[in-house]
Amino acid sequence: GLDKTGLMTKVAAFILKIGGTTEGRIIPIISATVGFISSFMQNVGAAALFLPVVARISARSGLPMSRLLMPMGFTAILGGTMTMVGSSPLILLNDLILTSNTALPAEQQMETWSLFSVTPIGVAMIVVGILYFVIAGRFVLPAVKTEGAEASTASKYFKETYGIDYSLHELKITIGSPLLGRNLMVLERAYKVRIVAICFGGKEPIFPNRETELAVGQTLGIVADPASVKAFTEAAKSSATTRLSTLKDLFDSSKSGIAEVVIPPGSSLIGKSATDIWMRKTYGLSVMAIHRGGETFREGAGVRDIPFQAGDTLVCHTLWDSLARLEKNNDFIVVTTEYPHEESRPHKLGFALLFFSIALFMVLFTDLRLSVALLTGAIGMILSGVLSIDEAYEAVSWKTVFLLASLIPLGFAVESTGTAKWIADQTLIIMDGSPIWVIQLAIAVLATFFTLVMSNVGATVLLVPLAVNIAIGAGANPAVFALTVALATSNSFLIPTHQVNALIMGPGGYRVADFMRAGGIMTVLFLTVLMIMLNIIF
């Protein structure tokens, strides 16, 4: 819902503005932000909130989502170690300590932890997690090109079918350019280019009409073949680049692209040319080629002056919003159907923020489960028209639903059959007589293992009483051992069983092997930082 109103696009734009388009700067900004948010709300909620932000950043920066989603997801989990309300095990821990106190003598009673008792540990975790991905990300993160691959396939199709080898370029008009004051129609015909957008003075880009004249400071968006672009830039005494910056948002593949439309029999446009009807101004279509009777007329063949005939296929550059409107126009048959049909609803931003605030309030200040609180916000957005019920269904990752549904009974079976308790008991028997830090490490490893196969809450409930008893027997601080369990249950990176990992698996195109490679090192780093910080502080 927040994405539909355009809010996530603005957040993504802000992050790109301060972070540029490099992994080394974007990853720390996203990760630190998500880690902070995750310290006060459930980590899966923080990850879900930033999923569309990362998608926007990926589209605009050209970085694959697989290079950004895993760092974001991992730091969302690490953020749960920042405060005592950051994760379910930490929320539950003080209650478990009070329960254990009822069975302990007065001199062994444990004190409960305050809200920020674990903050130094959480900060260290997030810093190490960010540094890990900044330094080693190039080696452990997969580069799964999803959207880029689709764009490449589309480009190949138009090249093979119509012989169009066009690409997007950006060019800035500078002082002294010989083309100053000349209008678009003259320039486009002379140099065989299409100037499909103009940005001036930092304002919103516009789709110009053919009478627009060039002026100093304008940034032109050009669609043409490389030879034509070269001739045009030489004439303008400027330089063109395919690394878009000013017009990057407008030319993003989620907003615009090349499409095919057909002129049907009975169209009122038959016998008229693109110039006659002001095609770009009237319909938002920049005609680059006409295919008729097995022959393709391209830029330079007077394509805009050719009268349309029934059955003509027009190859055009257009905004997807403009193409969506043409689907209801009887003068055209839209052939290109695989394009983003996203309808932005900025006028619903107030409702989206209201229901998000309500959901967030319920998460932070009530005892309602996270799923109920967020579902309440989602239902509010549906009822207020922020998104439709069909869009809500499409937004659900059903792969995640079935993955978690199969893991819940697995965890229940491990716990209810006594398997988990038996493993814990056997491990601790083996560690009997070892130094306190070794026993503490064994408990952390055990909690890490259990959280991979059962819920982190189940692992905490099972292991905290055992850890308390072992600490007392070994002469250690039972409260610190209990805290060790509650923190180690966030060490869930090795396989995608954690809700956050399951959430990002589909959009990031990850495989289990990807989590094992990146998560294996993260698991070891987590345990190392946990043991060092616990022993330094407590």
Side-chain angles (χ1 to χ4, degrees):
L2 292 172
D3 191 35
K4 280 289 180 185
T5 58
L7 181 63
M8 294 296 101
T9 301
K10 293 177 181 177
V11 173
F14 175 74
I15 291 176
L16 280 171
K17 184 178 179 181
I18 60 176
T21 57
T22 59
E23 273 184 41
R25 294 181 65 182
I26 289 178
I27 286 177
I29 295 170
I30 295 175
S31 299
T33 305
V34 174
F36 175 76
I37 293 173
S38 180
S39 66
F40 292 99
M41 67 183 290
Q42 290 282 13
N43 39 40
V44 68
L49 177 64
F50 262 73
L51 190 61
V53 175
V54 174
R56 290 283 183 267
I57 291 173
S58 173
R60 294 189 190 185
S61 66
L63 295 171
M65 281 185 67
S66 60
R67 308 287 294 185
L68 303 176
L69 273 184
M70 193 176 286
M72 183 273 286
F74 279 17
T75 45
I77 297 173
L78 293 173
T81 64
M82 281 265 285
T83 66
M84 292 299 291
V85 296
S87 65
S88 299
L90 288 173
I91 292 171
L92 188 65
L93 180 60
N94 282 337
D95 290 327
L96 293 175
I97 286 176
L98 293 174
T99 302
S100 295
N101 280 345
T102 59
L104 296 175
E107 65 276 7
Q108 293 177 343
Q109 298 275 308
M110 296 175 285
E111 291 187 8
T112 55
W113 300 97
S114 65
L115 179 63
F116 298 108
S117 294
V118 293
T119 300
I121 300 172
V123 170
M125 291 285 191
I126 290 177
V127 169
V128 169
I130 292 173
L131 288 175
Y132 166 54
F133 282 113
V134 170
I135 296 169
R138 71 190 73 176
F139 307 111
V140 298
L141 292 172
V144 182
K145 270 281 191 183
T146 49
E147 194 172 314
E150 292 172 9
S152 176
T153 302
S155 177
K156 183 179 179 182
Y157 166 76
F158 285 109
K159 185 175 181 179
E160 291 179 350
T161 307
Y162 302 109
I164 294 176
D165 186 20
Y166 289 174
S167 54
L168 297 167
H169 292 77
E170 191 174 281
L171 181 146
K172 189 165 186 177
I173 301 298
T174 54
I175 297 173
S177 172
L179 304 185
L180 288 173
R182 299 177 68 180
N183 68 45
L184 263 58
M185 175 181 276
V186 173
L187 293 173
E188 288 179 329
R189 293 189 176 188
Y191 297 101
K192 303 177 184 178
V193 297
R194 295 310 307 254
I195 301 171
V196 296
I198 292 180
C199 182
F200 186 69
K203 297 178 182 178
E204 283 291 311
I206 61 167
F207 274 70
N209 64 56
R210 64 196 186 204
E211 294 182 347
T212 302
E213 296 181 349
L214 296 193
V216 174
Q218 289 177 338
T219 300
L220 311 182
I222 303 169
V223 181
D225 63 78
S228 299
V229 172
K230 183 180 179 182
F232 184 74
T233 53
E234 288 175 353
K237 291 190 176 178
S238 183
S239 60
T241 176
T242 55
R243 293 184 63 84
L244 309 180
S245 55
T246 307
L247 299 170
K248 191 171 186 64
D249 189 29
L250 186 68
F251 280 167
D252 180 75
S253 58
S254 66
K255 290 193 173 182
S256 66
I258 299 176
E260 296 168 287
V261 296
V262 171
I263 304 295
S267 170
S268 64
L269 305 182
I270 292 175
K272 300 175 183 177
S273 68
T275 303
D276 295 334
I277 60 175
W278 293 63
M279 180 73 91
R280 180 165 45 197
K281 182 179 180 180
T282 308
Y283 300 105
L285 299 177
S286 293
V287 180
M288 299 191 301
I290 298 176
H291 186 76
R292 173 187 299 169
E295 185 179 359
T296 301
F297 302 93
R298 288 180 285 275
E299 212 52 70
V303 68
R304 276 163 283 186
D305 298 320
I306 298 174
F308 297 136
Q309 295 181 9
D312 281 352
T313 299
L314 314 184
V315 182
C316 314
H317 184 274
T318 180
L319 286 176
W320 299 133
D321 287 349
S322 301
L323 193 64
R325 287 194 293 271
L326 290 185
E327 289 185 345
K328 302 172 185 177
N329 190 323
N330 292 330
D331 287 331
F332 300 94
I333 297 174
V334 177
V335 178
T336 301
T337 56
E338 296 300 318
Y339 66 92
H341 292 61
E342 289 192 5
E343 180 190 349
S344 182
R345 304 182 183 107
H347 59 288
K348 294 287 185 178
L349 179 60
F351 283 114
L353 288 174
L354 170 65
F355 289 109
F356 172 67
S357 301
I358 291 172
L360 193 59
F361 177 84
M362 295 168 73
V363 168
L364 296 177
F365 303 110
T366 72
D367 295 328
L368 283 173
R369 291 169 59 188
L370 174 74
S371 52
V372 175
L374 293 181
L375 186 62
T376 303
I379 290 173
M381 290 190 185
I382 292 168
L383 294 177
S384 61
V386 175
L387 70 165
S388 69
I389 189 68
D390 289 335
E391 289 168 339
Y393 276 121
E394 289 171 7
V396 175
S397 172
W398 297 105
K399 183 186 292 187
T400 302
V401 172
F402 282 98
L403 175 64
L404 294 178
S406 61
L407 288 172
I408 290 169
L410 172 64
F412 178 75
V414 170
E415 190 172 352
S416 62
T417 58
T419 304
K421 188 176 186 304
W422 180 83
I423 294 172
D425 290 340
Q426 295 304 308
T427 302
L428 298 169
I429 288 171
I430 295 170
M431 302 305 298
D432 189 35
S434 300
I436 289 175
W437 72 269
V438 176
I439 298 173
Q440 187 181 11
L441 177 61
I443 289 172
V445 172
L446 207 57
T448 298
F449 168 73
F450 281 156
T451 198
L452 294 175
V453 295
M454 61 194 294
S455 73
N456 51 9
V457 171
T460 305
V461 171
L462 178 73
L463 290 178
V464 163
L466 287 168
V468 167
N469 289 325
I470 290 159
I472 292 172
N477 186 336
V480 173
F481 270 50
L483 181 63
T484 302
V485 171
L487 288 169
T489 51
S490 288
N491 192 9
S492 187
F493 309 104
L494 194 58
I495 52 177
T497 52
H498 193 284
Q499 287 175 308
V500 171
N501 291 337
L503 178 72
I504 65 175
M505 189 174 182
Y510 298 121
R511 300 167 300 156
V512 173
D514 297 325
F515 281 98
M516 294 185 73
R517 182 170 61 251
I521 300 172
M522 190 70 244
T523 298
V524 174
L525 287 173
F526 186 102
L527 289 170
T528 303
V529 175
L530 177 65
M531 293 302 299
I532 292 172
M533 293 301 294
L534 280 172
N535 284 281
I536 287 175
I537 297 171
F538 304 115

